[in-house]
Amino acid sequence: MTGIDAPVVIVGAGPVGLATALVLGRHGVRSTVFEQYDGINPHPRAHVVNTRSMELFRTWGIADAVRADAADPARAGTILWKQTLAGEPLGRIDLVEGPEDQLLHRIHASAEQLTSCAQDRVQRHLLDAVLAQGMATVHYGTTVVEVTDLGDRVDVTVEGVAGRQTLRTCYAVAADGATGGLRDTLGIGMDDSPVLGHQLNIYFHADLSPWMSEDPALLVWLINSASPGLLIGMDGVQRWTFQRSFDPGVESPQDYPPERCARIIQEAVGATELDVDIRSVGSWVMTARTAETYRSGRVLLVGDAAHQFPPTGGLGMNSGLADADNLGWRLAAVLKGVASDALLDGYERERRPVAVDNARHSMLNAIKMAEVGIGPETTRIAARLESPDPAVAGAERRRIAEAIPSQRPHFDALNQEIGYVYGGARHKNRAPFSATDYRPIAAPGARLPHAWLERDGERVSTHDLLVPGFTLITGPEGTRWADAFAETWQDVAKRTVVLGRDVTSPDGHCLKMLGTGEDGALLVRPDGHIAWHSSEGSSPAAALAALLNAAEQSA
């Protein structure tokens, strides 16, 4: 038994586990991360990095690196439907060629934009940032075999190259994914949706430029009887994955050796002589599950350990990154003694409703895809497309083409990415909520709206004003709020920004968007969500006291 090596132990070094370590480090809290595998899994899985995640990466200093590893934006905005890759398109969605007002609205909503970067590359940049920060120790090839919550501490027993040892820590974070098992040992159940299917994921390298150079696309949905599935360009050049359905009742991934997988890819492309280098094969279950609780004493769940969604919407990894950002500052505040342990209960209250809503959105997307030949109807629809009767085949092609545009919210749902409001009406009454119709609001619980400002001759976002602490933003005449705030809570990291003094808004747009007016203010939490607005009539100091003491939390 050793003493407390680090106040937080993180189980799992996937993107969410590393993000948790990085956020804790930004708040001056050390952590130890254990990962059972020997390193980053080279098999790319997730690839969508949505707007909110890119904003987080901007704050964490890795947005440029992720962007450099991302797919070409010209390719990433196109989704195709074909019979085979070599065939003619059945239809398409071009995200960069949508309604002009919708495109401008997305561009103006954030300093960052949704992109596509393979998960293994995202993970590498997170790991580099964690190691450069120097606040976390990451142990690969080390399995966590037992986590024991003793009430005032947590004992974590691990087994690795150094043998078995037990470490004592203050809190443990389960970031071990959907199949990690720690959640089950804690006795935390899951709210389940019906299983929509089982998917095989084939990662391969190949030169697909003969079919992709003239009409590049990020996603190509292939509908045929021989090898239907989804082709994803992980870099749009050499690295690809192909996803297809399989029945685990009669086969397993082991039944798919490289030779068989190569034939599957060749049939999907429509080129029997294509040189295919199979790198790895994995499987996953298409369903939606949310943990009944995100906390068991001193152990908390993040990422896929807490929730799993169908990939239809690209919300899995992105939800987990926001989990890490929400939980990290709370743990830091508690460990530093500036907040009560009850502050951690707010993590579940805020993040679980978002997960439930993301699960709903993802499931609806998956079900709706049946209209365009993806899902249980694939075999029947493929047969109609391949019918020797030109009238039957032509009618099916026209039907699919007409149904494709309605799939756009699957791929372009800005409000789902950045519009959630903690404790807001969205979670109390989801019926009117639109996944696409984002409107910035400067209200408690909402993400701080983005606006461009000027600071020392440099163009900056409102998000660039935030620090690893609480940020008070006031109007030009709102210094009374700033003075009162500066005199209280000396032990809390905080910063005050006065619009018109510290930064300027050339067109006055920021004052209007934030609703501060000349003499108002708002208080932003460490995770970029608004904690208080002067329109409430209280004070930022009182709001901060209520938050840190967990005296007022919205369900």
Side-chain angles (χ1 to χ4, degrees):
M1 176 76 68
T2 66
I4 293 178
D5 173 58
V8 180
V9 164
I10 300 168
V11 184
V16 178
L18 292 173
T20 304
L22 187 60
V23 173
L24 287 169
R26 282 172 50 80
H27 292 284
V29 174
R30 301 192 63 83
S31 62
T32 301
V33 186
F34 294 109
E35 171 57 56
Q36 63 177 321
Y37 298 109
D38 292 333
I40 294 173
N41 187 345
H43 186 114
R45 288 161 288 176
H47 67 97
V48 174
V49 184
N50 72 19
T51 306
R52 185 58 187 146
S53 293
M54 285 301 295
E55 290 176 345
L56 294 178
F57 289 168
R58 182 187 183 97
T59 299
W60 302 343
I62 64 171
D64 289 342
V66 170
R67 226 178 343 261
D69 255 342
D72 184 342
R75 181 186 302 273
T78 302
I79 300 98
L80 288 176
W81 278 258
K82 292 185 169 186
Q83 287 182 258
T84 65
L85 186 62
E88 294 298 316
L90 298 167
R92 71 178 63 232
I93 292 175
D94 289 315
L95 298 179
V96 296
E97 295 181 3
E100 184 178 3
D101 59 341
Q102 187 172 334
L103 294 176
L104 290 175
H105 188 62
R106 176 177 272 279
I107 290 170
H108 294 321
S110 177
E112 298 291 341
Q113 298 298 317
L114 177 149
T115 189
S116 176
C117 183
Q119 179 176 321
D120 59 317
R121 301 293 172 86
V122 170
Q123 203 165 328
R124 168 52 60 187
H125 295 308
L126 284 166
L127 177 61
D128 289 346
V130 167
L131 297 179
Q133 187 184 67
M135 293 295 292
T137 304
V138 183
H139 297 276
Y140 285 101
T142 306
T143 300
V144 173
V145 296
E146 187 176 8
V147 174
T148 306
D149 185 350
L150 299 174
D152 61 345
R153 66 183 189 277
V154 180
D155 284 350
V156 180
T157 301
V158 301
E159 196 168 80
V161 293
R164 179 176 289 227
Q165 58 178 318
T166 299
L167 299 91
R168 182 165 292 171
T169 188
C170 298
Y171 290 93
V173 176
D176 53 343
T179 60
L182 181 52
R183 180 192 61 240
D184 294 337
T185 66
L186 297 171
I188 298 176
M190 300 286 280
D191 292 339
D192 292 72
S193 294
V195 172
L196 296 181
H198 297 264
Q199 296 286 309
L200 200 73
N201 188 318
I202 303 171
Y203 169 42
F204 67 98
H205 289 187
D207 178 12
L208 302 185
S209 59
W211 307 278
M212 295 292 261
S213 59
E214 295 297 322
D215 194 10
L218 176 69
L219 307 176
V220 186
W221 302 87
L222 303 170
I223 308 171
N224 58 71
S225 57
S227 186
L230 169 62
L231 181 69
I232 305 176
M234 287 297 169
D235 64 359
V237 180
Q238 182 71 12
R239 307 175 76 221
W240 313 87
T241 61
F242 184 68
Q243 299 183 17
R244 58 177 274 150
S245 298
F246 85 110
D247 183 355
V250 298
E251 57 184 355
S252 73
Q254 287 68 42
D255 295 316
Y256 286 81
E259 298 79 9
R260 182 182 180 187
C261 289
R263 288 194 301 272
I264 288 171
I265 302 303
Q266 290 167 346
E267 291 173 340
V269 172
T272 58
E273 301 302 317
L274 177 67
D275 185 15
V276 182
D277 178 10
I278 302 297
R279 294 304 182 96
S280 54
V281 179
S283 63
W284 51 276
V285 180
M286 183 177 284
T287 189
R289 310 175 70 208
T290 309
E292 294 173 351
T293 179
Y294 280 22
R295 182 182 186 188
S296 174
R298 288 179 170 265
V299 186
L300 299 109
L301 312 182
V302 294
D304 283 358
H307 47 71
Q308 297 113 55
F309 319 132
T312 39
L315 293 168
M317 179 179 70
N318 293 291
S319 297
L321 294 171
D323 289 347
D325 201 41
N326 187 296
L327 177 60
W329 75 267
R330 293 174 182 274
L331 276 171
V334 173
L335 289 165
K336 290 183 174 183
V338 300
S340 70
D341 179 84
L343 181 68
L344 297 177
D345 293 330
Y347 163 63
E348 177 183 328
R349 277 195 292 266
E350 292 185 345
R351 291 303 303 166
R352 191 176 187 279
V354 176
V356 170
D357 199 57
N358 285 343
R360 176 194 61 83
H361 176 71
S362 301
M363 288 291 284
L364 288 176
N365 286 340
I367 294 168
K368 190 172 178 60
M369 285 292 284
E371 298 175 2
V372 288
I374 310 303
E377 294 295 300
T378 298
T379 300
R380 183 186 65 81
I381 292 174
R384 290 177 63 83
L385 288 172
E386 297 166 359
S387 172
D389 184 340
V392 173
E396 190 63 18
R397 290 179 68 92
R398 288 190 297 273
R399 188 197 64 78
I400 291 175
E402 291 171 357
I404 285 173
S406 67
Q407 305 292 326
R408 189 181 181 101
H410 176 160
F411 311 99
D412 185 12
L414 182 61
N415 204 24
Q416 201 76 33
E417 299 174 42
I418 62 176
Y420 51 86
V421 179
Y422 294 143
R426 165 175 169 179
H427 300 308
K428 295 175 183 177
N429 182 8
R430 287 193 293 271
F433 172 70
S434 164
T436 58
D437 187 21
Y438 169 71
R439 292 293 180 268
I441 58 171
R447 153 195 167 275
L448 176 68
H450 155 74
W452 287 116
L453 301 165
E454 189 172 293
R455 180 176 60 190
D456 299 328
E458 180 185 1
R459 191 186 192 214
V460 297
S461 167
T462 46
H463 294 174
D464 298 330
L465 306 178
L466 307 181
V467 294
F470 290 83
T471 305
L472 184 73
I473 302 176
T474 81
E477 306 300 325
T479 53
R480 65 188 177 96
W481 300 111
D483 294 341
F485 190 55
E487 295 172 0
T488 59
W489 294 93
Q490 299 299 325
D491 52 352
V492 174
K494 57 187 186 294
R495 176 187 194 182
T496 298
V497 177
V498 178
L499 299 174
R501 185 193 72 184
D502 302 316
V503 291
T504 59
S505 177
D507 57 2
H509 177 64
C510 187
L511 282 176
K512 181 179 179 181
M513 177 174 285
L514 299 185
T516 61
E518 292 292 319
D519 60 353
L522 56 79
L523 180 65
V524 187
R525 304 185 329 190
D527 60 355
H529 284 255
I530 297 171
W532 166 88
H533 197 286
S534 56
S535 60
E536 295 190 316
S538 59
S539 72
L544 182 57
L547 176 63
L548 295 181
N549 291 323
E552 296 179 4
Q553 295 285 348
S554 298

